[in-house]
Amino acid sequence: MLESVLVANRGEIARRIIATCRRLGIRSVAVCSEADADLPFAREADEAVLIGPPPPAQSYLDAGAVLTAARQSGAAAIHPGYGFLSENAAFARQVLDEGLIWVGPTPSAIEQMGDKINARNLMHRAGVPVALGSTEPVTNIAQALAEAERIGYPVMVKAAAGGGGIGMSAAAGPEALQTAFDTARTRAERFFGSPAILLERFVERARHVEVQIMGLSDGQVVALGERDCSVQRRHQKVAEETPSPGITPQMRGGLLAAAVRAGEAVGYLGAGTVEFLLDVRKQEFMFLEMNTRLQVEHPVTELVTGVDLVEQQFLVASGDPVSFEPAGVRPEGHALEFRVYAEDPVRFLPSPGEITQWEEPAGPGIRVDAGYRAGNTVTPFYDPLLAKLCVHCATRDEALGRAREAVAAFRLAGPKTNLPFHADLLTSEPFVSGDYDTTVVAGLRP
């Protein structure tokens, strides 16, 4: 097992990784910007190193500053969490070149799956279902129009080198494609450093279902169940659950098998997620992308399996066997996660400010992964995620009831939050019935 880990992240995910370090007796090192020095994660680590001013490019995205902090603190390994440098293959190589342990997949796997077009082509060769779409980067509008004619409208336009729904939009015809292409290309270059675009067939009634995989030290890849991530605003997830209420046992088996093939195709190590789009009308699934890191929504998988995914990441990174029986994992019960953001609950716009009240719900079946507490300030420099409110019960109906109680009991004051949105979601007929798709948020907030 590792002796010390530097957590190259912030907020709730840094705090969550530090908690597993503490449980396992691993010395934890936090890195923080000047804006985050008083947040819980920086105070709970065994050591905290200031790495720069608030802007991410001058702190959490500054690979040199992170590596300097690792050298100065004597950390043996680096866990990147999610976002920031977590899927940066060049940074992973730098970590390894420094003689440190990288808690993540190989740089090669990150590279192969980071380019969405390359990933699509690789998955197709591996026998994983892939939607009709681009096999080469689309670099100009003439090429985009030709591709759209080949694929057939409507099409989804997205950055080839990025994720998170940034710049992604659907186009129903040539005129809409011009606008969507220009927007996607501009945002792709701004956020991911590459203007390359890909087009895919747009699925009008879709569910977004992903599979948690774990690549083991012996080369085996195992699937630990699926998560339904169809509750999204601006193509970004806001609530998740497992098991998915929208798939049959037969489809679940197909999804898990396809995810394992995807992991095997790149020699995957550690925790990763293979995302699929499910065509509700045709009852077919297709590969969307692979996230070569720990997911925001990993707690629901931990709740139904009893497996600490961060612990398994540490073990795999050390070359050790995992602490669970790979063939014996049987998810039990139903788990839901609700992302609590400092944002306007209607327009979903960030709402920074000082937190004047913070009272978390507690009790059986309730888990809160929080990045803040009363007295902290939510700044405009980072994603406004405050906490993840999770519930776990024997059945979905019981979990829905527990979630309604927990959302009502979560007392937050200062910034606006999206807790009222979650309260509405938990009483909406589509979500309660389980018969929903990626348009469910639009139905609540037209």
Side-chain angles (χ1 to χ4, degrees):
M1 180 57 77
L2 304 173
E3 293 182 359
S4 56
V5 174
L6 181 143
V7 183
N9 218 293
R10 65 178 298 279
E12 63 82 20
I13 189 59
R15 195 180 185 195
R16 185 263 168 276
I17 295 165
I18 289 165
T20 290
C21 286
R22 186 184 307 111
R23 181 174 66 79
L24 297 175
I26 299 171
R27 184 172 71 89
S28 61
V29 179
V31 291
C32 60
S33 72
E34 293 168 357
D36 287 346
D38 289 331
L39 291 191
F41 81 94
R43 293 182 172 274
E44 292 172 2
D46 294 307
E47 181 179 351
V49 181
L50 192 66
I51 56 170
Q58 300 173 49
S59 51
Y60 299 106
L61 287 171
D62 186 337
V66 173
L67 290 170
T68 297
R71 285 192 294 268
Q72 291 176 345
S73 63
I78 291 182
H79 192 308
Y82 56 74
F84 294 131
L85 296 167
S86 64
E87 294 180 282
N88 186 316
F91 177 66
R93 286 195 179 92
Q94 285 180 279
V95 171
L96 296 171
D97 289 345
E98 289 274 340
L100 303 174
I101 294 171
W102 170 250
V103 184
T106 64
S108 173
I110 296 173
E111 219 159 41
Q112 290 183 78
M113 303 312 291
D115 182 305
K116 285 186 167 55
I117 294 175
N118 179 73
R120 283 171 45 84
N121 295 340
L122 179 60
M123 292 300 101
H124 179 69
R125 292 194 296 271
V128 177
V130 176
L132 183 62
S134 306
T135 57
E136 297 289 339
V138 178
T139 58
N140 58 66
I141 187 59
Q143 192 180 357
L145 289 166
E147 272 290 271
E149 286 298 325
R150 181 183 68 84
I151 296 167
Y153 289 100
V155 294
M156 180 63 81
V157 185
K158 58 176 72 172
I166 295 173
M168 199 163 76
S169 60
E175 188 175 337
L177 178 58
Q178 174 78 63
T179 301
F181 180 80
D182 290 344
T183 300
R185 184 171 57 178
T186 299
R187 293 187 178 177
E189 191 155 33
R190 177 185 171 192
F191 288 98
F192 309 118
S194 170
I197 297 299
L198 75 86
L199 272 62
E200 287 179 335
R201 180 174 72 86
F202 175 66
V203 180
E204 297 189 59
R205 276 213 67 201
R207 293 188 82 118
H208 188 152
V209 181
E210 62 187 26
V211 177
Q212 176 70 58
I213 62 169
M214 181 67 67
L216 310 186
S217 302
D218 63 4
Q220 183 183 2
V221 177
V222 298
L224 297 175
E226 89 286 353
R227 299 183 286 254
D228 198 309
C229 307
S230 303
V231 182
Q232 303 177 7
R233 44 100 166 108
R234 298 191 299 273
H235 302 294
Q236 295 178 317
K237 304 165 189 172
V238 69
E240 300 89 10
E241 63 178 310
T242 188
S244 169
I247 63 175
T248 64
Q250 181 178 4
M251 181 170 286
R252 177 173 292 110
L255 283 164
L256 300 186
V260 168
R261 287 199 300 276
E264 291 173 341
V266 292
Y268 200 80
L269 276 174
T273 298
V274 186
E275 303 200 3
F276 297 94
L277 208 59
L278 166 63
D279 187 323
V280 174
R281 293 192 177 102
K282 295 183 178 181
Q283 284 297 290
E284 297 174 348
F285 66 84
M286 58 212 76
F287 173 80
L288 190 60
E289 64 181 359
M290 183 173 182
N291 292 308
T292 52
R293 54 169 168 77
L294 193 66
Q295 287 281 82
V296 178
E297 56 272 21
H298 75 275
V300 292
T301 297
E302 293 185 327
L303 287 169
V304 298
T305 62
V307 174
D308 183 324
L309 293 175
V310 174
E311 177 184 355
Q312 311 316 315
Q313 288 185 294
F314 289 159
L315 289 167
V316 171
S318 303
D320 296 328
V322 290
S323 62
F324 64 93
E325 175 51 53
V329 175
R330 298 288 183 272
E332 295 183 1
H334 200 97
L336 300 159
E337 174 181 292
F338 303 90
R339 302 189 191 190
V340 182
Y341 286 101
E343 67 181 16
D344 182 292
V346 176
R347 297 181 298 161
F348 303 123
L349 296 176
S351 174
E354 183 183 354
I355 299 170
T356 57
Q357 181 185 24
W358 184 289
E359 296 178 25
E360 298 175 5
I366 294 175
R367 167 176 166 174
V368 180
D369 285 17
Y372 294 82
R373 60 188 172 201
N376 292 149
T377 297
V378 182
T379 68
F381 300 105
Y382 315 110
D383 184 274
L385 180 64
L386 299 175
K388 299 180 305 198
L389 171 58
C390 308
V391 298
H392 178 219
C393 293
T395 68
R396 187 172 190 266
D397 283 346
E398 290 173 345
L400 290 170
R402 185 71 48 82
R404 292 186 193 104
E405 296 170 357
V407 167
F410 207 147
R411 305 293 184 188
L412 284 175
K416 292 180 181 179
T417 77
N418 66 338
L419 284 169
F421 164 79
H422 289 307
D424 290 346
L425 178 70
L426 282 161
T427 57
S428 69
E429 192 279 330
F431 187 74
V432 171
S433 70
D435 184 20
Y436 63 93
D437 56 39
T438 54
T439 66
V440 65
V441 172
L444 288 171
R445 297 288 189 271

